[in-house]
Amino acid sequence: MVKSIVRYGYPPLMLLGVNGAAIGLAQAPWAELWMAGLILFAIAVSFAAEHLLPYNEQWNDTVGDGGRDVAHAMVNEVALLATVLVIPVLTVLSPFSVAWPAAVSFPVQVLLAVVVTDVGVTLVHMASHRVGWLWRFHSVHHSVKRFYGFNGLMKHPLHGALELAVATTPLLILGMPKAVAEALTVCIAVQLLLQHSNADYRVGPLRKVLALNEGHRFHHLKWAGVGDVNFGLFTLMWDHLLHTFSYDPRRLFRADDLGIAAKPKYPVGYLAQLAEPFRASGACHFVADADDQSARPADGRSSATPQLGN
């Protein structure tokens, strides 16, 4: 009974419950504290779901990465929440701020912000797998040895800042209200937790529409090289349009399917990971496993997207 509740109730609780609460509280006094509380609640629910219904029980065990992942999460989420504080200033400076559709309902405004953010992050994500200097920063995220919710909050802060800047600049130019940004912050955190979750939840046909864990596991496969598949943050819509969507319901994932094949000894410590992009050289460092028939060139550039089935 409990497992069934987690399998089918966990995604709606996060997507509708937590995000809905964020929309409802974003205009309340002390909204930043409410948003921080909701993010902490979402993290707690994520861990609970993963332990009650794990996709891979091994991925619930730390491999010397627990403290590092906490550090990544704290730095990135605090930075994200702090960024919201400067939005009123940026809005005042924008000559186009009157263009924001303030007349529509607040939930629709948040949905607009989600859609624009989805486009921006998807494009930056794709570029980060194909442009050498971007990949060096993004590779921190792909160095993981297990796939669980906290992975979504694990990224080099400079890469996270770039993603956020590209995704939200159009919104800031249009005069996005601070309250919308508050809710968007929670929506992003919830999405990253769900997208990398080790919980064996189900969303049915929506797995080909929403960018959740069933599809995102393919993005973290070693052999998928520079990650030519499933770039989307909130949805897979842009992957369908760009022909970068891939999914195979028969595929099972193991711990050794993850990581960077060309760098099996990628630094594990937090400070070492922050420094690694400045030591790395070359373009993309993904090299397929020797026994994989879908091998990629050593420079990480692929001529075709791996189609694993629909």
Side-chain angles (χ1 to χ4, degrees), residues 110-300:
V110 175
L111 180 60
L112 170 64
V114 165
V115 171
V116 173
T117 301
D118 192 36
V119 176
V121 170
T122 299
L123 294 178
V124 174
H125 195 177
M126 181 182 293
S128 297
H129 285 260
R130 300 180 180 184
V131 178
W133 70 271
L134 283 174
W135 166 248
R136 290 198 291 273
F137 288 93
H138 184 52
S139 61
V140 169
H141 179 69
H142 277 269
S143 68
V144 298
K145 299 299 184 180
R146 57 191 180 119
F147 194 86
Y148 76 124
F150 242 26
N151 288 160
L153 309 181
M154 174 195 168
K155 58 181 67 179
H156 197 287
L158 294 181
H159 189 269
L162 176 63
E163 277 189 332
L164 186 64
V166 171
T168 60
T169 293
L171 298 170
L172 295 175
I173 291 175
L174 293 175
M176 175 175 60
K178 180 171 173 288
V180 173
E182 302 274 14
L184 178 62
T185 298
V186 174
C187 291
I188 292 173
V190 165
Q191 187 63 25
L192 291 172
L193 289 167
L194 280 173
Q195 190 176 63
H196 297 81
S197 178
N198 185 34
D200 192 21
Y201 63 76
R202 297 286 189 274
V203 293
L206 290 177
R207 65 192 179 193
K208 295 184 179 181
V209 179
L210 301 179
L212 298 176
N213 63 357
E214 287 187 84
H216 199 65
R217 291 187 191 113
F218 291 91
H219 180 74
H220 278 264
L221 276 171
K222 287 181 184 177
W223 71 263
V226 287
D228 286 333
V229 300
N230 304 349
F231 294 104
L233 172 60
F234 288 104
T235 75
L236 295 169
M237 176 174 63
W238 309 110
D239 287 291
H240 285 289
L241 292 175
L242 296 168
H243 304 291
T244 55
F245 171 77
S246 196
Y247 180 74
D248 182 356
R250 301 161 297 179
R251 185 65 158 88
L252 298 177
F253 294 82
R254 305 162 300 173
D256 56 3
D257 290 328
L258 309 178
I260 304 174
K263 283 198 168 186
K265 295 184 179 180
Y266 197 93
V268 175
Y270 178 70
L271 294 179
Q273 288 193 340
L274 295 189
E276 182 64 16
F278 300 98
R279 291 197 292 262
S281 60
C284 297
H285 293 275
F286 268 1
V287 177
D289 294 330
D291 60 350
D292 197 312
Q293 298 303 311
S294 302
R296 291 289 191 272
D299 65 359

